[in-house]
Amino acid sequence: MFESPLFFRNGLQQRRNSWQDGVYGTNCPIPPRKNFTYVLQVKDQIGTYFYFPSLALHKAAGGYGSVKISSRPRIPVPFPPPAGDYAILAGDWFKRNQRQLKYFLDTGHNLPFPDGLLINGRGWNGYTFTVDQGKTYRFRISNVGLTTSINFRIQGHTMKLVEVEGSHTLQNTYSSLDIHLGQSYSVLVTANQPAKDYYIVVSSRFTSKVLTTTAVLHYSNSFTKVFGPPPGGPTTEIALSLNQARSIRWNLTASGPRPNPQGSYHYGMIKPSRTIVLANSAPYINGKLRYAVNGVSYVSPDTPLKLADYFKIGGVFSVGSIPDRPSGGNGGYLATSVMHADYRSFAEIVFQNWEDTVQSWHIDGYSFFVVGMDGGQWTPASRTGYNLRDTVARCTTQVYPKSWTAIYIPLDNVGMWNIRSENWARQYLGQQFYLRVYTPSTSWRDEYPIPRNALLCGRASGHHTRPL
């Protein structure tokens, strides 16, 4: 049986071009045995990202890979060129295939506990990274899993954090790093230990049963294999993870994708014109488990939202079908939820989590500033604790149990953009919606035209893209 996929690039902003975003709200699935060419420009971006199939539970079957965007020539990078550049794609793994996992969700149940963890698609000691003694290497680590936060560490070595999802960071040193669903980190590791092999360890975070897997860091002059148990790491401690998250800061003097320093953009001096509060929940609707945002559980229409908007096809979605603050009730309802936002406005978004599990939120098309996170209920008084100077800009952020996370986001990218849980079971069962960043202008300076090769499906079938 062949299925129609879509491919999404996690963190690529697709400036002025949500046509190429690779999610069902913007694109029709690629028909079986056919191909499709995404045309995109990684404008004003550097850093570490990844791609994956975004429809249904296809992600459980693999199909993901790393995306590395280098700085342009002559733009300074705040560390010497490493001797090597390695990608690590780590995440949870299920013995059941993606159709079986989808059946769990379709019948109103959550996914079972994962059966294990993988590093670059392999299990225990299934992957080896070779290094030369005395040299420094860059490791780009992404959590590509479905449901589980992870902790990453290298036996006997420390890691210098240098980049997070396109932001150069203060170069703090860590013995281990928590990496939540959908997040990417870039670290420098110096091979300065005695010549032998060392464990690279990935273990689950905030799970009652701790899952662990390993790869091997092999010194090229080593004759000693790894032996014994791998080093342990943090398990369910939240305070440790929260403090680590707060320690990740922007390098204000480093250049980003442009020559000017990252800190020349003073996000903390801009007053938000709007505050949006988004609360996740797990209601039962029509007798089945669903997940919701502000009480609304998203259902996909028969036509991608972007196409319906462009061709002015009525009855597909309604702008304003999701409130910008939670109502406070415990129930929920199904809707194709779309929220309006004005182009070039500056918003404050608060993610409020009253559940007992860590949430991971992603916003397509944007990089945002994580200005604050803490336990309990967010209130306007919480703003006194915001970091308005050097917090990191990224595209995916965690929200700890019974806690909140606040972000500042400049809405400078016209389009139809998905805001979703990176827990793929929650996303599939409705914890997502679309933000329609709108301008009445039809200028190509604000948004690119519909691609000539755009696939048309649903009620958009029979329409035409454009001749040129």
Side-chain angles (χ1 to χ4, degrees):
M1 179 186 295
F2 295 92
E3 297 187 31
S4 301
L6 278 173
F7 280 89
F8 174 74
R9 282 75 53 190
N10 208 70
L12 270 63
Q13 294 177 16
Q14 315 288 358
R15 305 293 299 177
R16 299 184 288 167
N17 201 10
S18 64
W19 299 109
Q20 306 284 356
D21 203 31
V23 291
Y24 186 65
T26 58
N27 298 92
C28 295
I30 304 166
R33 299 182 181 274
K34 301 292 183 180
N35 60 47
F36 179 79
T37 301
Y38 292 100
V39 180
L40 53 96
Q41 180 185 31
V42 288
K43 181 176 175 61
D44 285 343
Q45 283 194 267
I46 58 164
T48 304
Y49 311 95
F50 65 96
Y51 64 85
F52 64 90
S54 63
L55 278 185
L57 270 293
H58 293 176
K59 188 180 182 184
Y64 44 75
S66 183
V67 177
K68 307 175 183 178
I69 306 177
S70 301
S71 297
R72 290 177 292 168
R74 295 186 296 278
I75 293 182
V77 176
F79 50 87
D85 193 325
Y86 291 122
I88 293 182
L89 301 170
D92 50 19
W93 172 76
F94 297 81
K95 290 180 180 178
R96 295 175 175 87
N97 64 38
Q98 57 98 0
R99 294 187 187 93
Q100 293 170 313
L101 296 177
K102 182 175 177 292
Y103 178 78
F104 271 99
L105 301 178
D106 288 340
T107 54
H109 301 88
N110 200 353
L111 293 181
F113 190 74
D115 295 295
L117 300 174
L118 298 178
I119 296 175
N120 289 358
R122 300 178 184 177
W124 278 80
N125 296 342
Y127 208 95
T128 298
F129 300 88
T130 300
V131 296
D132 294 332
Q133 195 169 27
K135 293 185 178 180
T136 297
Y137 295 80
R138 184 173 185 173
F139 287 83
R140 302 173 187 256
I141 314 119
S142 297
N143 184 343
V144 298
L146 295 183
T147 64
T148 312
S149 295
I150 60 174
N151 181 266
F152 179 87
R153 53 199 181 273
I154 301 178
Q155 182 183 29
H157 295 73
T158 57
M159 302 174 288
K160 182 182 290 185
L161 183 65
V162 294
E163 178 256 329
V164 173
E165 297 164 19
S167 286
H168 285 132
T169 63
L170 290 182
Q171 296 181 11
N172 297 330
T173 299
Y174 300 91
S175 58
S176 72
L177 276 172
D178 285 347
I179 306 176
H180 303 278
L181 290 164
Q183 293 184 340
S184 296
Y185 289 81
S186 191
V187 299
L188 298 179
V189 177
T190 300
N192 56 6
Q193 298 300 304
K196 61 177 185 177
D197 290 0
Y198 296 86
Y199 285 115
I200 295 174
V201 187
V202 171
S203 59
S204 61
R205 271 298 245 139
F206 315 112
T207 55
S208 55
K209 175 185 176 183
V210 178
L211 300 173
T212 303
T213 194
T214 60
V216 176
L217 184 73
H218 169 69
Y219 278 54
S220 58
N221 57 341
S222 164
F223 295 97
T224 305
K225 302 292 185 181
V226 292
F227 62 91
T235 54
T236 59
E237 307 90 342
I238 291 176
L240 181 68
S241 187
L242 174 61
N243 289 334
Q244 183 180 92
R246 288 171 171 166
S247 73
I248 299 172
R249 302 294 183 91
W250 228 14
N251 186 334
L252 298 179
T253 60
S255 298
R258 297 186 180 189
N260 50 303
Q262 293 179 143
S264 61
Y265 183 79
H266 301 287
Y267 68 91
M269 299 179 67
I270 305 172
K271 184 177 180 180
S273 58
R274 180 183 182 187
T275 296
I276 300 169
V277 181
L278 304 175
N280 51 277
S281 60
Y284 277 79
I285 302 175
N286 300 329
K288 291 184 178 181
L289 174 66
R290 297 286 301 186
Y291 295 102
V293 185
N294 290 357
V296 186
S297 185
Y298 183 85
V299 288
S300 294
D302 59 5
T303 305
L305 307 176
K306 186 64 181 170
L307 295 179
D309 200 20
Y310 177 76
F311 291 118
K312 296 179 172 54
I313 302 170
V316 176
F317 71 93
S318 175
V319 176
S321 47
I322 178 174
D324 60 8
R325 290 178 182 267
S327 63
N330 294 323
Y333 60 93
L334 304 175
T336 302
S337 37
V338 177
M339 186 182 294
H340 168 80
D342 292 322
Y343 177 46
R344 289 183 175 163
S345 61
F346 191 83
E348 173 188 44
I349 299 179
V350 179
F351 298 104
Q352 181 71 60
N353 177 22
W354 284 118
E355 298 186 66
D356 294 325
T357 56
V358 176
Q359 303 293 313
S360 188
W361 285 91
H362 178 87
I363 301 181
D364 289 3
Y366 288 95
S367 184
F368 51 74
F369 297 92
V370 185
V371 293
M373 55 177 64
D374 209 345
Q377 169 78 49
W378 179 89
T379 68
S382 303
R383 296 180 178 127
T384 60
Y386 282 5
N387 177 355
L388 299 180
R389 183 175 181 269
D390 63 351
T391 192
V392 71
R394 62 187 314 168
C395 59
T396 308
T397 187
Q398 71 272 29
V399 191
Y400 293 101
K402 299 189 184 304
S403 301
W404 57 267
T405 294
I407 67 170
Y408 278 2
I409 180 169
L411 296 173
D412 56 358
N413 197 10
V414 173
M416 189 76 73
W417 302 108
N418 192 215
I419 299 181
R420 66 174 177 273
S421 171
E422 285 286 74
N423 179 311
W424 221 243
R426 299 184 74 103
Q427 180 273 154
Y428 179 78
L429 288 181
Q431 191 177 319
Q432 61 168 310
F433 69 96
Y434 281 82
L435 188 70
R436 181 179 183 251
V437 181
Y438 176 76
T439 176
S441 168
T442 57
S443 170
W444 289 15
R445 292 174 299 178
D446 297 326
E447 184 177 28
Y448 291 141
I450 185 172
R452 283 174 291 175
N453 69 336
L455 300 174
L456 304 181
C457 58
R459 281 180 262 178
S461 298
H463 287 76
H464 302 283
T465 57
R466 59 186 176 95
L468 299 175

